[in-house]
Amino acid sequence: TPLRNRSVAETRAPGAGARPAAPTDPQLVLSHLDQLPTLPAVAVRVLHLTTSATSDAREIADVLRGDPALTTRLLSLANSATAVAATPVTTVDQAVVRLGLATVRGVVLAVKVFECFPAAGGSEAAVFERGEFWKHCVAVACAARRVAAGTPALGIEPGEAFVAGLLYDIGKVALDATFPKAYARAVAMANEEHGDIADHERAVL
């Protein structure tokens, strides 16, 4: 079922006629989340290859080259992560080798998850800025990888830490796509009061 960009208040309960459903109805929220889209085939393929013991970097790069958005993000990340390197990364093959399979897997997953949730239309769309949110997630991912790499006693593989940082707040994208108007109110309230957005998400949703 196509994901519908509607707020909770705009949704009507089954058999309720014209009466709007209660915004606090947990079952209504769950029914929307059950309709979240699945990952595109390219993401599923890359995730499979990056976890297979028989795959190599060239095979993974061949899949990635068919997706301009993934190619752009990977090249950008590979170069920003190795700014001090003498040789810039100019091909997908080089990016895969430079970043490592765990990081590539995380980037592919994050990019494709973001693409699954189109931004809402209308004036509310600007409240939750997807571009700034992506930058924030990448920053958290880089910080998590650096902490894991610098603290071996934690026993956390840096690539896995990067993936965790990249996706730690992905629920915000799902909420924004599923309940755009309601989530815009929650974001606006958090911005105005400089408080924890989770408190406002609970209050609105």
Side-chain angles (χ1 to χ4, degrees), residues 8 20 63 175 180:
V8 177
V63 177
L175 291 175

Side-chain angles (χ1 to χ4, degrees), residues 128 172 175-176 179-188 197 201 205:
F128 182 71
K172 290 181 178 179
L175 291 175
D176 178 55
F179 310 113
K181 293 184 179 180
Y183 198 65
R185 291 198 298 273
V187 173
I197 191 171
E201 288 170 349
L205 297 173

Side-chain angles (χ1 to χ4, degrees), residues 34-48:
D34 284 341
Q35 300 174 20
L36 294 180
T38 57
L39 282 175
V42 62
V44 175
R45 178 63 177 158
V46 170
L47 294 177
H48 171 72

Side-chain angles (χ1 to χ4, degrees), residues 6-14 19-35 178-179 205:
R6 300 184 295 177
S7 69
V8 177
E10 294 173 313
T11 310
R12 304 183 188 283
R19 183 175 59 84
T24 54
D25 182 0
Q27 293 303 318
L28 179 59
V29 175
L30 291 176
S31 69
H32 275 263
L33 297 181
D34 284 341
Q35 300 174 20
T178 311
F179 310 113
L205 297 173

Side-chain angles (χ1 to χ4, degrees), residues 5-205:
N5 286 330
R6 300 184 295 177
S7 69
V8 177
E10 294 173 313
T11 310
R12 304 183 188 283
R19 183 175 59 84
T24 54
D25 182 0
Q27 293 303 318
L28 179 59
V29 175
L30 291 176
S31 69
H32 275 263
L33 297 181
D34 284 341
Q35 300 174 20
L36 294 180
T38 57
L39 282 175
V42 62
V44 175
R45 178 63 177 158
V46 170
L47 294 177
H48 171 72
L49 290 174
T50 53
T51 54
S52 172
T54 60
S55 301
D56 57 28
R58 178 173 297 180
E59 188 176 6
I60 296 168
D62 286 342
V63 177
L64 294 171
R65 267 191 290 269
D67 191 300
L70 284 177
T71 297
T72 300
R73 293 293 176 90
L74 288 169
L75 289 175
S76 176
L77 183 60
N79 282 297
S80 63
T82 58
V84 296
T87 306
V89 174
T90 58
T91 68
V92 178
D93 302 71
Q94 293 171 347
V96 171
V97 173
R98 188 72 60 86
L99 293 173
L101 296 186
T103 299
V104 169
R105 182 167 60 248
V107 173
V108 169
L109 186 58
V111 169
K112 289 307 174 183
V113 166
F114 272 62
E115 289 181 356
C116 280
F117 303 111
S123 59
E124 297 85 1
V127 178
F128 182 71
E129 298 180 359
R130 299 294 184 93
E132 293 303 312
F133 180 71
W134 169 260
K135 293 177 185 178
H136 168 74
C137 291
V138 171
V140 172
C142 291
R145 179 173 56 188
R146 186 167 184 174
V147 170
T151 318
L154 292 175
I156 300 174
E157 202 278 318
E160 293 183 357
F162 181 89
V163 174
L166 200 60
L167 298 175
Y168 89 104
D169 230 0
I170 200 66
K172 290 181 178 179
V173 181
L175 291 175
D176 178 55
T178 311
F179 310 113
K181 293 184 179 180
Y183 198 65
R185 291 198 298 273
V187 173
M189 290 165 61
N191 290 340
E192 182 178 349
E193 300 180 16
H194 304 287
D196 187 345
I197 191 171
D199 295 332
H200 300 292
E201 288 170 349
R202 295 187 188 97
V204 175
L205 297 173

